[in-house]
Amino acid sequence: MKVLVACEESQEVCKAFRALGHEAYSCDIQEPSGGHPEWHILGDAVEVVNRPIGVITTMDGETHIVDWDLLIAHPPCTYLSNAGARHLWKDHHLQAERVMLGIKARDFFMEFWRSDIPLVAVENPVPSKVFVMPEYSQIIQPFQFGHPYTKKTCLWLKNLPPLVPTNVVEPVATWCPSGSYSHKHGIQHRGMFTTDRAKNRAKTFPGIAKAMAEQWGGLEGTA
């Protein structure tokens, strides 16, 4: 299976698919922290998605020709999430600049959701209703896949079955909560990070990545 993991610098999902023998590539405007530049496309993921048959160059300088079977996308959520909706209003006034940033983020999200790749999964937190996002397919939590944390994550799925939990454990803390949770709540809801929150929230848990590879790898899409 040819797999494109868009907006992924950690390479967690990419490595999970590679471990099962799939030809997977991560793509991001950042260099990868996952240790495999030979599997990483440094650049605009939307541009890669929109190529009919991808001629890609990885960071090691090698060129590959791929006809994508599966797209898993992790577009930035800063301006779309319900947790950030409180920033849309200030002193009883709608913040036009923040709204415009949210609209741009939604349009970026939709580039992946509307792609012609047969199998599509797009991941994001619960979105603000202001931006009228498509209805998500399911919500997953890290504690369903062996990690003892809560971090509500939505999946928008096209021609893919919902992820089935693989190892349900008891959560002990919230993972990278929004800023409003850092000081006003008890220990459990303060979460694991109060710095680099956005970067840490963006990383996929290994248990979830493994479930994606095991449950979605090898599926045949329908156009």
Side-chain angles (χ1 to χ4, degrees):
M1 175 178 273
K2 313 284 189 180
V3 184
L4 175 63
V5 189
C7 309
E8 185 189 51
E9 62 81 26
S10 73
Q11 296 191 297
E12 203 65 60
V13 177
C14 177
K15 289 189 290 186
F17 276 89
R18 283 277 177 172
L20 295 183
H22 300 288
E23 186 178 349
Y25 299 92
S26 55
C27 181
D28 199 82
I29 56 174
Q30 300 181 68
E31 294 189 4
S33 63
H36 290 280
E38 72 276 16
W39 300 339
H40 191 71
I41 308 161
L42 185 63
D44 183 355
V46 168
E47 196 272 331
V48 175
V49 165
N50 286 333
R51 297 176 193 171
I53 295 181
V55 178
I56 62 168
T57 302
T58 44
M59 286 186 65
D60 59 353
E62 292 294 318
T63 298
H64 312 267
I65 299 176
V66 289
D67 188 1
W68 303 113
D69 299 301
L70 169 62
L71 166 66
I72 300 175
H74 308 274
C77 63
T78 303
Y79 301 108
L80 286 177
S81 74
N82 193 47
R86 68 188 186 279
H87 297 298
L88 291 172
W89 294 88
K90 186 176 181 181
D91 298 327
H92 306 290
H93 293 287
L94 186 65
Q95 302 301 297
E97 182 179 359
R98 184 85 184 194
V99 173
M100 289 305 300
L101 289 170
I103 292 171
K104 288 181 180 179
R106 181 195 62 194
D107 291 347
F108 188 70
F109 175 104
M110 293 303 296
E111 289 282 353
F112 301 115
W113 182 237
R114 291 172 176 158
S115 79
D116 291 329
I117 296 173
L119 306 171
V120 177
V122 188
E123 173 271 335
N124 242 225
V126 176
S128 170
K129 294 181 180 179
V130 170
F131 299 110
V132 196
M133 299 284 286
E135 185 65 30
Y136 50 80
S137 305
Q138 74 173 126
I139 289 177
I140 60 173
Q141 293 272 11
F143 65 77
Q144 297 173 311
F145 300 90
H147 304 280
Y149 307 106
T150 59
K151 179 196 168 192
K152 190 179 290 186
T153 300
C154 300
L155 296 177
W156 286 256
L157 305 175
K158 186 181 296 183
N159 297 324
L160 288 170
L163 274 187
V164 177
T166 56
N167 180 21
V168 179
V169 297
E170 187 71 23
V172 299
T174 301
W175 187 265
C176 302
S178 65
S180 62
Y181 283 89
S182 296
H183 306 291
K184 298 178 182 179
H185 292 71
I187 292 175
Q188 178 179 357
H189 297 289
R190 285 181 191 167
M192 300 304 295
F193 298 96
T194 55
T195 59
D196 293 330
R197 187 177 293 109
K199 187 172 183 178
N200 282 297
R201 278 190 67 85
K203 294 182 184 297
T204 303
F205 284 88
I208 294 176
K210 186 171 184 285
M212 289 177 172
E214 290 178 347
Q215 296 180 33
W216 295 341
L219 293 175
E220 294 185 1
T222 55

